[in-house]
Amino acid sequence: MNSLNEITEFIKGRDNFVILTHIYPDGDTLGSAYALCRALRTLKKNANVLIHGDLADKYSYLEKDMKEQVFDCETVVTVDIASPSLMGDFREEYEDKIDVCIDHHAANDMNARMKYVDADAASNCENIYRLIELLDIEIDPALADCIYTGICTDTGCFKFTNVTPDTMRIAAKLMECGCRSAEINRVMFDTKSLARINIEREVLNTLRFYADNKIAVVYTTRDMEKRAGAVDQDLEGIAAIPRQIEGVCTGVTLKEKGDNYYRISVRTNGDHDASMICGKLGGGGHFAAAGCSVNGTLEEAIKAIVRACVEELGR
Ligand SMILES: [Mn+2]
């Protein structure tokens, strides 16, 4: 592990930066990368960001007014990447050439010449903010937007237990620098695709209760997804819906993946062990969130998972 001061000095002496983001890019890896890229360019250095696939529309402001630069790569930086397996398409070319790794995952197992991991940071963008402070760069509104994006998305809009007083202090500084916090919050948290709303409407129609309303079950089928025009991205977080109902201890979501084949997600309120429930059907996961797969008709699958949930409720 290196200090941020050491990394700052190293970066000052280098040029021609390639900044790598993780697969299935989220607001934190993207915000970190574009923030660092903007900062380096402010220092008159060459820098590009590499991402997997196209930048999703809702993140387009991150790269506003930035053009890809042409240069031979000299310095490789990874941001918010916890493990080589998350490097995706970039692994083959860059895995053995990483100069600087900046991250906030406790389990980080990257190999890099210099490494800074602060597992107490709610978002990697908080690390990037500190680095930019040490580089003594003035934070303009576009740069502030990038950093703010990672902080708000990794904290569920400042809602999760990972938020620290420092998280709030940095967010306050970013507001003073002119970040568009309300607009970014709206796009990240209060905006859904029409397909998502359509699938939610159908999902709510499938709602059933068991065990004195303590267990709530919903499901999606391939037909429903087709009618809604929903792709995988639109189904993200659907499993959280049944657990949101007041009084429900265990929320179950079944997703039809093939003929007589269902992927099941279980979310509990923390009093009951979701990994135990899913373990009974050959799955596993965490205490409050777990999953398993079941072969059979929809009704058979529901019966099997509800039985497992009832057993756990009675324990
Ligand atoms: Mn992150």
Side-chain angles (χ1 to χ4, degrees):
M1 264 281 278
N2 297 92
S3 69
L4 266 187
N5 275 311
E6 287 169 329
I7 288 175
T8 303
E9 288 312 308
F10 177 78
I11 284 175
K12 279 182 182 168
R14 304 282 292 207
D15 199 356
N16 297 327
F17 292 83
V18 168
I19 305 163
L20 303 180
T21 52
H22 62 69
I23 48 168
Y24 313 120
D26 60 11
D28 194 31
T29 197
L30 294 170
S32 293
Y34 285 103
L36 181 59
C37 188
R38 287 176 185 274
L40 292 168
R41 289 184 183 185
T42 303
L43 293 174
K44 299 279 179 272
K45 294 180 186 293
N46 292 323
N48 282 329
V49 172
L50 293 191
I51 66 172
H52 294 86
D54 296 324
L55 189 63
D57 282 347
K58 66 174 179 177
Y59 293 121
S60 60
Y61 61 90
L62 296 174
E63 62 165 5
K64 191 171 175 278
D65 300 326
M66 295 176 83
K67 283 198 181 69
E68 197 179 324
Q69 297 182 328
V70 180
F71 56 83
D72 288 328
C73 170
E74 183 197 326
T75 313
V76 178
V77 183
T78 68
V79 288
D80 199 39
I81 304 183
S83 180
S85 62
L86 300 173
M87 293 179 71
D89 296 344
F90 310 139
R91 185 171 184 175
E92 198 177 313
E93 189 176 346
Y94 294 104
E95 181 174 9
D96 303 322
K97 297 181 197 150
I98 302 166
D99 295 291
V100 180
C101 164
I102 304 172
D103 186 32
H104 71 126
H105 296 95
N108 184 297
D109 65 349
M110 297 287 281
N111 278 314
R113 186 167 161 175
M114 308 196 83
K115 193 159 150 175
Y116 180 79
V117 179
D118 180 0
D120 292 328
S123 64
N124 193 53
C125 272
E126 293 170 41
N127 295 332
I128 297 295
Y129 173 85
R130 294 221 157 77
L131 177 67
I132 287 172
E133 260 191 335
L134 290 172
L135 286 167
D136 206 19
I137 292 161
E138 202 186 321
I139 297 178
D140 65 17
L143 178 50
D145 278 354
C146 293
I147 304 172
Y148 183 84
T149 299
I151 295 177
C152 77
T153 53
D154 260 26
T155 60
C157 210
F158 304 91
K159 210 167 62 178
F160 301 154
T161 53
N162 60 358
V163 175
T164 67
D166 277 340
T167 310
M168 294 300 197
R169 274 188 278 268
I170 294 172
K173 290 261 178 57
L174 295 171
M175 287 184 79
E176 285 167 357
C177 295
C179 83
R180 301 167 303 122
S181 53
E183 168 69 6
I184 293 170
N185 292 341
R186 189 181 63 75
V187 170
M188 297 300 154
F189 302 99
D190 291 342
T191 307
K192 293 176 180 178
S193 66
L194 178 58
R196 169 60 177 236
I197 292 289
N198 281 335
I199 196 80
E200 279 188 15
R201 175 158 57 185
E202 294 228 28
V203 164
L204 290 176
N205 273 329
T206 71
L207 184 61
R208 302 180 191 180
F209 292 97
Y210 299 88
D212 205 13
N213 295 342
K214 287 193 177 66
I215 301 169
V217 177
V218 297
Y219 61 84
T220 63
T221 64
R222 288 173 294 175
D223 272 349
M224 288 163 60
E225 287 169 32
K226 213 161 151 193
R227 271 199 302 275
V231 294
D232 276 351
Q233 198 187 310
D234 300 309
L235 297 172
E236 214 175 278
I238 287 280
I241 291 177
R243 241 295 291 134
Q244 290 171 343
I245 303 162
E246 192 173 14
V248 167
C249 304
T250 309
V252 176
T253 306
L254 297 93
K255 187 167 184 274
E256 184 193 32
K257 297 294 279 183
D259 293 333
N260 289 326
Y261 180 59
Y262 291 85
R263 176 83 199 147
I264 302 177
S265 299
V266 174
R267 299 283 185 274
T268 69
N269 60 0
D271 291 339
H272 304 283
D273 189 347
S275 70
M276 286 279 286
I277 294 167
C278 292
K280 292 178 205 285
L281 299 174
H286 304 284
F287 194 88
C292 59
S293 299
V294 171
N295 288 298
T297 65
L298 176 63
E299 295 307 324
E300 286 166 351
I302 292 176
K303 209 171 157 191
I305 190 66
V306 168
R307 190 187 307 127
C309 291
V310 169
E311 279 172 21
E312 174 61 19
L313 272 184
R315 246 181 12 99

